[in-house]
Amino acid sequence: MEKKNLTYLANLREAMKQHGIDACVITGTDPHQSEIPPHHWRGREWLTGFESSNGTNGTAVVTADNALVWTDSRYFLQAEEQLQGTGFRMMKEDGPDAVDLVDWLTEHTHTGQTVGIDGMTFSISFAQRIQQQLADNGVKLDTDFPQFDYIYPDRPERPKNRLFVHDENIVGESVDSKATRILEAVKSELANAVMLSALDDIAWATNLRTSGDITYSPIFVSYLYLDESGRRVLFVDADKLTPEVTAHLDKYHIEVRPYDDVLSFVESLPKETRLLIDPEKTSRGLYDHIECSTVFGGAAVARLKSIKNSTMIANLHTAMEKDGVALTRFFMMVEKEYPAGTLTEVELGKRLRALRLADPSCVDESFAAIIGWNGHGAIVHYEATPETDAAITGQGLLLVDSGGQYTFGTTDITRTIALGEATPAQRHDFTLVMKGHIALARAIFPEGTRGAQLDVLARQFLWAEGKAYYHGTGHGVGFFINCHEGPQNIRLNENPTPLQPGMITSNEPGLYLADRYGIRCENLIVTEPWKETEFGRFFHFEVMTLFPFDINLFDTAIMTDEEIEWVNDYHAMVRSRLIPLLSPEEAAWMAEKTRPLTR
C-alpha cells in the first residue's frame, strides 16, 4: 500500500515555510501529557506512520533536510519497520547509540532561525529545556505553531463520550475527602490553588470515568481547578454530562465550565493567587496564559493517587479473580485449538478481549493485548496486524501481555507458555527470568527504599550470564484509571519516589532474543508493611495477580529450594482462589497447571 506520509511531510514543510519555521518539533501527546492521547491529538502518528493501538513513545523533528523520530528501545524494531518509505528515520533516545534530541536540534539550527512547536502539546519542562538551549545559540522558540491545524483537514474531533460515576463503595473515599487532601498537599507546597491537567489525576479526584476518550483508559478530557476558598471548577465539554453526573457534580459543589474556557480562566485569576502546577504534566500553552503567580510542584498530589486504600485493595482482589477466570478460559482454548493450526496472533487477541468483556464489570482492556509467537515475542511492544499476523503452528513460546479495566480495579499480566516441546535453552532462559521475578517478589526493604534500589534483584541472574533487558522492571498501576501510573516505578533510572504501602507496581523482568523468542513474566504487587524493628519500619510485597506460570518451562536444576517453594506457594494460592469460581473441567485444568514443582 502506498504510504501517504511523504505527502503529509511535504505539506508540513510548506506550512513551516509560510509561518517562518525552520525546524518543527512534534510530540506524541496532548495538552494533558497523556501516555496514550485521544485520536484528536495523535497527529505525530498520523504524520510519521509510526503508530499502534497502545500508542508509541516518539517525538518527531522536521527541518528542510531532515525528518526524524526519536523513540526508546521498546520500539526500535517497530519504528525501523513502520518508518520505511515515510521520509522519516528513527533516532535512538536510549541505549549505547542514543542521541539527545535537544542536543541534535541545537547542533542543526543557527542564529536567527526559529523552531516551532504547538505549546499545548509540550510540557512546561520539555519546552523550557528546548528554549534555554536554543537561546544560547540565538535561536528563537515559537510556542504557537499548531501544525496540524494547517495540514490535517480530516483530523478527528475531540472525544465527546459520556461520563459516569465510579461507585464510592468501590473507591472507598468521597470527592470531598479527596479535595481536602489535595488542598492540604497544595498548602504544603506554599500555594493556595491548583490546576490539575493530568487526566488520571482528575478522574481520581472527581470519582468520574468514561469509556472511549483515551484508548484503554476510562479517563476523560478535562481540567480541574481547586482553591482554598472552596471553589471547584471542572472544565469539560457539556455534552459529556448525564443527569447522574450533573447530580454528582452538584452534590460536591463542582462548577462546570466549557473545556475551551480554561485559557481565559487562568488569565483572569486574581494576582494574589499562588497557583500550583506540575511542570511535567501542564502544557506550555496553558502556562503562557497564566497571569497570577505560579508554583512548580505537584509531587505530593501525585502520591495521593498512587497510594490505594484498603477498600481499593480488597476490590482489586475481586478484579484479579475475575481476570484469572477469563485467562483460564483463554489458555484452555489455546491448548485445545493449537494442534489444529488454525489460531493466529490476531485471532487470539480478539478471543481474549471477548472473554474479558464477558464480565459486566470489565469496561475495556487496559491496553491492546501483546500476543507474540516465537520471534514476535522478542518485540517488546509488538502489536499483531493483518500484515504481521503469525499462525500459531509448530513449536515455540507464546508471550501474552494483557489486562482489563474492571470497575473493581485495573489488571496487567504477562505469561509466557510453551506450545509443543520447549528446548533446554528456552527452559533455561525462562527460569533465569523467573529467578529474578521471584527475587523481587520476595524482597523485604526498609521504609524510604526507592524502586531503583530494588531493580537489580530482578536482573542479577540474567546479568550473571551476560544477558539483559532494557525496559523497566516495574511501573505503577492505577485503580480503574491508567495501567501505567506514577510516580513510583522499579527501573534502573533513579526516581526519588520511595515505595509506600498501598502502591501497586508491576514485576515484569524479561529476555528478548531477536527473531527467536521473547520471555516476560509479570504479576502485579502491592507494597505492604512487614514489621517494625529497632532499625525502623520494613515493607514487603503482596502478590495480587492470580494465574499460574507454565510449570513445564521451569528448569528446577538451577533453582534454589526457596525459589521452588515460592512457586509452589504462589500456585497453591492461585488454586485456592480460582478453583471455586471455575467449572469442573476448568478446575481440573487449573489443578494440573498448579501441581507442585519437584526436582
Side-chain angles (χ1 to χ4, degrees):
M1 184 177 69
E2 181 182 353
K3 294 197 175 185
K4 298 180 180 179
N5 306 86
L6 289 172
T7 300
Y8 304 156
L9 181 56
N11 292 342
L12 174 57
R13 283 177 167 144
E14 180 60 30
M16 291 166 58
K17 184 177 179 180
Q18 292 176 4
H19 291 81
I21 302 297
D22 300 289
C24 178
V25 187
I26 306 157
T27 66
T29 189
D30 61 18
H32 310 277
Q33 305 306 302
S34 303
E35 180 182 26
I36 304 178
H39 286 282
H40 175 74
W41 283 289
R42 289 174 78 162
R44 193 269 301 152
E45 292 191 336
W46 168 85
L47 175 69
T48 65
F50 173 40
E51 60 184 354
S52 80
S53 297
N54 283 327
T56 51
N57 174 40
T59 304
V61 174
V62 175
T63 68
D65 304 314
N66 287 285
L68 311 170
V69 179
W70 270 260
T71 192
D72 65 66
S73 57
R74 296 172 298 169
Y75 299 99
F76 288 167
L77 295 178
Q78 178 182 339
E80 287 278 16
E81 178 181 327
Q82 290 185 331
L83 292 176
Q84 290 181 18
T86 66
F88 285 86
R89 60 187 173 92
M90 186 189 73
M91 301 291 283
K92 296 181 178 181
E93 69 178 39
D94 60 10
D97 300 321
V99 176
D100 183 81
L101 182 153
V102 181
D103 288 345
W104 185 96
L105 191 64
T106 303
E107 292 171 7
H108 289 78
T109 53
H110 56 77
T111 300
Q113 289 192 314
T114 299
V115 173
I117 66 171
D118 179 357
M120 292 302 295
T121 61
F122 277 72
S123 70
I124 298 169
S125 298
F126 190 18
Q128 286 188 339
R129 181 180 169 225
I130 294 174
Q131 188 168 26
Q132 288 168 0
Q133 287 196 216
L134 292 177
D136 290 341
N137 284 0
V139 178
K140 176 186 175 183
L141 180 68
D142 183 342
T143 62
D144 189 20
F145 181 61
Q147 59 278 339
F148 296 116
D149 287 355
Y150 310 131
I151 67 170
Y152 197 173
D154 54 350
R155 184 181 188 181
E157 293 185 351
R158 206 161 59 213
K160 306 289 186 182
N161 301 290
R162 296 294 185 93
L163 306 183
F164 61 87
V165 179
H166 193 198
D167 188 349
E168 289 184 2
N169 292 320
I170 295 174
V171 175
E173 187 174 13
S174 71
V175 174
D176 278 342
S177 173
K178 291 179 178 180
T180 298
R181 293 203 292 134
I182 289 171
L183 287 171
E184 288 174 354
V186 169
K187 185 177 180 180
S188 73
E189 299 197 51
L190 304 180
N192 56 25
V194 62
M195 179 66 77
L196 298 181
S197 292
L199 303 185
D200 53 336
D201 289 349
I202 298 166
W204 172 80
T206 60
N207 285 346
L208 293 174
R209 302 290 192 274
T210 193
S211 178
D213 274 24
I214 303 285
T215 307
Y216 307 117
S217 293
I219 56 182
F220 56 98
V221 175
S222 58
Y223 292 93
L224 180 65
Y225 171 84
L226 305 172
D227 68 26
E228 64 180 2
S229 74
R231 190 176 188 189
R232 304 169 181 176
V233 185
L234 180 67
F235 298 87
V236 66
D237 290 322
D239 47 8
K240 297 174 72 67
L241 306 180
T242 66
E244 177 196 26
V245 169
T246 298
H248 174 81
L249 294 170
D250 289 344
K251 175 182 177 181
Y252 290 113
H253 308 291
I254 299 175
E255 174 188 350
V256 176
R257 294 185 60 165
Y259 177 81
D260 290 321
D261 278 7
V262 68
L263 298 183
S264 60
F265 179 85
V266 296
E267 285 177 339
S268 64
L269 286 172
K271 296 294 184 184
E272 61 271 17
T273 303
R274 293 182 53 79
L275 184 67
L276 179 68
I277 53 175
D278 186 335
E280 300 292 339
K281 297 179 179 180
T282 307
S283 73
R284 172 61 182 268
L286 177 65
Y287 177 63
D288 285 344
H289 284 78
I290 297 175
E291 298 292 339
C292 64
S293 299
T294 55
V295 178
F296 284 176
V301 176
R303 276 195 295 272
L304 296 178
K305 182 176 83 278
S306 70
I307 298 173
K308 280 60 179 177
N309 60 41
S310 59
T311 301
M312 289 178 169
I313 298 299
N315 281 303
L316 184 55
H317 281 298
T318 299
M320 292 298 179
E321 291 172 352
K322 292 174 177 291
D323 215 46
V325 170
L327 289 164
T328 298
R329 292 166 182 164
F330 173 78
F331 281 103
M332 286 183 68
M333 176 274 296
V334 171
E335 289 187 357
K336 182 178 180 181
E337 298 187 23
Y338 154 71
T342 58
L343 295 176
T344 70
E345 294 167 333
V346 169
E347 175 64 17
L348 289 182
K350 293 176 180 177
R351 302 276 282 274
L352 180 52
R353 177 179 175 83
L355 286 167
R356 274 203 173 91
L357 293 180
D359 189 295
S361 71
C362 187
V363 173
D364 201 348
E365 295 173 285
S366 54
F367 53 94
I370 299 169
I371 299 179
W373 174 239
N374 285 334
H376 285 166
I379 304 173
V380 178
H381 273 214
Y382 173 69
E383 181 177 352
T385 67
E387 292 75 27
T388 66
D389 191 18
I392 314 300
T393 58
Q395 298 189 131
L397 298 185
L398 180 68
L399 185 152
V400 179
D401 187 349
S402 66
Q405 288 286 8
Y406 299 85
T407 55
F408 296 102
T410 301
T411 68
D412 181 5
I413 173 175
T414 309
R415 289 295 183 266
T416 304
I417 66 166
L419 293 175
E421 188 70 26
T423 67
Q426 289 170 340
R427 295 178 66 239
H428 182 84
D429 286 342
F430 177 88
T431 307
L432 290 181
V433 171
M434 276 303 302
K435 285 169 72 72
H437 179 99
I438 293 166
L440 181 59
R442 297 179 65 219
I444 295 171
F445 49 96
E447 183 175 18
T449 298
R450 305 178 303 282
Q453 295 171 295
L454 300 179
D455 185 83
V456 69
L457 295 175
R459 301 178 192 265
Q460 58 181 313
F461 303 100
L462 292 167
W463 285 358
E465 295 193 4
K467 301 173 181 177
Y469 60 94
Y470 293 105
H471 59 70
T473 299
H475 57 83
V477 180
F479 184 84
F480 191 44
I481 304 184
N482 286 346
C483 187
H484 288 180
E485 175 182 277
Q488 81 279 13
N489 57 35
I490 301 172
R491 58 188 309 123
L492 289 170
N493 313 67
E494 185 53 58
N495 177 346
T497 305
L499 296 170
Q500 296 177 253
M503 286 182 170
I504 299 168
T505 313
S506 65
N507 174 4
E508 50 181 312
L511 181 65
Y512 311 95
L513 302 178
D515 301 320
R516 285 178 280 173
Y517 55 82
I519 296 166
R520 189 159 62 251
C521 301
E522 176 187 17
N523 280 344
L524 298 191
I525 51 180
V526 60
T527 302
E528 296 284 3
W530 182 58
K531 66 178 172 181
E532 188 166 354
T533 74
E534 61 184 301
F535 299 98
R537 297 173 68 205
F538 285 77
F539 302 150
H540 70 150
F541 294 121
E542 177 188 358
V543 179
M544 303 292 289
T545 303
L546 296 172
F547 195 75
F549 297 98
D550 187 348
I551 54 177
N552 295 314
L553 277 172
F554 284 97
D555 179 1
T556 56
I558 61 170
M559 296 176 70
T560 66
D561 290 342
E562 291 79 11
E563 289 166 345
I564 292 173
E565 181 182 16
W566 185 93
V567 173
N568 289 339
D569 287 348
Y570 173 69
H571 282 169
M573 179 185 72
V574 171
R575 189 168 57 243
S576 67
R577 295 275 298 281
L578 292 186
I579 281 182
L581 307 174
L582 302 174
S583 70
E585 180 185 7
E586 293 163 349
W589 183 90
M590 181 59 67
E592 168 63 19
K593 295 300 178 182
T594 57
R595 71 181 188 274
L597 287 181
T598 57
R599 290 195 184 279

